[in-house]
Amino acid sequence: MSIDLSALSRQELTALRKNVDKALDTLEARRRAEALKAAEDAAKEFGFSLSELNSSTASSKKTKGAPKFVNPEDPSQTWTGRGRKPNWVVVHLDAGKPLEDLAL
């Protein structure tokens, strides 16, 4: 299929763009529905519903560790000791004070 775009007016090109966008949206929605149906069928084949499989993966997410350090100036700020040090820990250490001062 070949359309001579140079022969179309601005108004016709704008209408064509809107029609193409609508067709792409419809195609994507149809493909999503097909993918969802295929996933549901695959889950059913193993004796599960798709929502059961989704909820089990959500519950297995990692949880944050328990806080081990607290900002003495703002007790709502805590740090587990893992990952990047918060600014208040860095400031405390730069002042030459030991990390143990911040321990819970």
Side-chain angles (χ1 to χ4, degrees), residues 46-91:
F46 289 94
F48 298 100
S49 72
L50 196 55
S51 61
E52 286 175 322
L53 295 177
N54 252 351
S55 65
S56 67
T57 57
S59 65
S60 67
K61 286 185 178 180
K62 283 186 170 181
T63 60
K64 285 187 170 183
K68 296 179 184 172
F69 304 98
V70 65
N71 183 351
E73 296 175 14
D74 183 359
S76 69
Q77 295 179 334
T78 60
W79 180 48
T80 62
R82 292 187 282 173
R84 202 175 103 193
K85 294 179 183 91
N87 287 337
W88 55 269
V89 173
V90 173
V91 168

Side-chain angles (χ1 to χ4, degrees), residues 2-20:
S2 179
I3 300 173
D4 183 12
L5 298 177
S6 62
L8 298 177
S9 69
R10 180 175 180 82
Q11 186 177 11
E12 292 169 324
L13 287 170
T14 302
L16 179 61
R17 181 190 310 169
K18 286 180 184 177
N19 289 338
V20 168

